[in-house]
Amino acid sequence: MRKSWASCWPFGGVLLTCAGFAQSLGLLGIRVDHPNLVGEAWDTALWADRPVVLEFVVDPAVPPIPPHTTFEQIENFALSVLKGDSDG
């Protein structure tokens, strides 16, 4: 998995992630950077005794596709990307 620059900000000489920022506010911050950790992260979040921020590090080159997406929508998206529209 590639790390996206948008998932962290320089703050006081360190990179602050969304999960790290959440922890600084007293929330539970969980950063998931590997697919094998997704289930454990959800279990931890659902059983937490306080609000949780789940931060997932994803490959920006792989578009998220909702489960209810039709084949026609996927096909149209793929065609638009092939024509050069990076936003689909």
Side-chain angles (χ1 to χ4, degrees):
M1 263 189 228
R2 293 189 324 206
K3 183 176 177 182
S4 170
W5 65 269
S7 65
C8 52
W9 301 273
F11 181 77
V14 298
L15 291 178
L16 184 62
T17 65
C18 293
F21 183 68
Q23 288 180 346
S24 74
L25 298 174
L27 306 173
L28 177 59
I30 302 171
R31 183 176 169 93
V32 180
D33 59 1
H34 194 276
N36 292 342
L37 302 175
V38 172
E40 180 183 345
W42 273 111
D43 288 342
T44 302
L46 293 172
W47 287 99
D49 60 351
R50 60 184 183 254
V52 178
V53 171
L54 279 172
E55 177 182 7
F56 293 94
V57 180
V58 298
D59 186 344
V62 178
I65 300 175
H68 63 276
T69 305
T70 66
F71 179 76
E72 181 181 9
Q73 290 171 320
I74 294 171
E75 184 178 36
N76 290 336
F77 175 79
L79 290 173
S80 68
V81 170
L82 289 174
K83 291 179 182 177
D85 183 357
S86 63
D87 294 327

